[in-house]
Amino acid sequence: MASRWDHLFDLKPVSLLEHLLEEVAKLLHKDLQQWPPPVQEVDLDTGGHFAPLFTEPRPRPSRAVYTEAFRLAQWELARETDAYDDYMRNKRYLERGLAPDDRLPLLFLSRWLTEQMLGLGEATEGRVKRKHLRDCLERLQSKLHAVQVPSA
């Protein structure tokens, strides 16, 4: 008869990097449960156009906005600037079912996601590479879409 711990010996070991990416995805998932997600500060010179998201009551963006923000963040991390530029210049988000008013939350979310990932890379002194950051974003997106994004 097998003991209740035998199944633990059959589990595949998880690398430290895998564990880190999973934990980061969990933390960011928690941050994304609120709208807008928490920020350290808003620099009015570079991010002042996002101020209305914090000063005016606005409803939580739709799930489609989150999906498109993940797409943009993935492109940024993959350095696919042509795809990003084409998407924004030609307002491809409208083709994806977003409204013109969704542009500001879309840009904010994509920047927030990108900054979180780049911050992780910086905090680990580059040991977590961009391909790992993209993997972390995929994990986060899976977690976010596994549960219904709460309404505001």
Side-chain angles (χ1 to χ4, degrees):
M1 178 176 228
S3 81
R4 67 185 212 174
W5 306 113
D6 285 340
H7 77 281
L8 292 176
F9 290 113
D10 297 330
L11 295 177
K12 179 180 170 188
V14 177
S15 72
L16 183 58
L17 179 60
E18 290 291 318
H19 182 69
L20 173 68
L21 297 178
E22 188 62 28
E23 290 302 312
V24 168
K26 286 179 187 176
L27 288 171
L28 295 179
H29 178 257
K30 185 177 177 185
D31 286 346
L32 287 174
Q33 296 306 303
Q34 60 181 316
W35 177 254
V39 295
Q40 299 268 327
E41 61 184 78
V42 176
D43 180 1
L44 295 178
D45 291 334
T46 59
H49 57 283
F50 294 128
L53 296 174
F54 298 94
T55 59
E56 303 167 10
R58 298 176 76 111
R60 174 181 288 282
S62 69
R63 176 173 261 186
V65 171
Y66 284 81
T67 299
E68 294 305 303
F70 275 97
R71 177 189 316 277
L72 293 175
Q74 285 284 3
W75 284 341
E76 285 238 11
L77 292 174
R79 295 186 173 114
E80 294 181 26
T81 55
D82 291 340
Y84 189 100
D85 290 345
D86 176 71
Y87 184 91
M88 295 309 296
R89 183 180 334 104
N90 296 306
K91 300 180 181 178
R92 304 273 186 226
Y93 52 91
L94 298 175
E95 297 170 7
R96 302 258 181 201
L98 275 58
D101 290 345
D102 289 328
R103 185 177 188 276
L104 187 62
L106 170 66
L107 290 173
F108 171 75
L109 275 172
S110 69
R111 182 172 293 178
W112 186 88
L113 291 166
T114 302
E115 291 299 320
Q116 298 302 309
M117 292 297 101
L118 293 176
L120 174 61
E122 189 175 304
T124 61
E125 299 176 351
R127 288 186 295 264
V128 176
K129 308 292 185 207
R130 283 182 178 251
K131 68 179 182 174
H132 303 122
L133 300 176
R134 293 192 312 268
D135 177 43
C136 188
L137 265 186
E138 289 174 11
R139 291 167 188 250
L140 174 57
Q141 188 172 18
S142 294
K143 289 180 183 317
L144 191 64
H145 290 308
V147 296
Q148 182 66 30
V149 177
S151 307

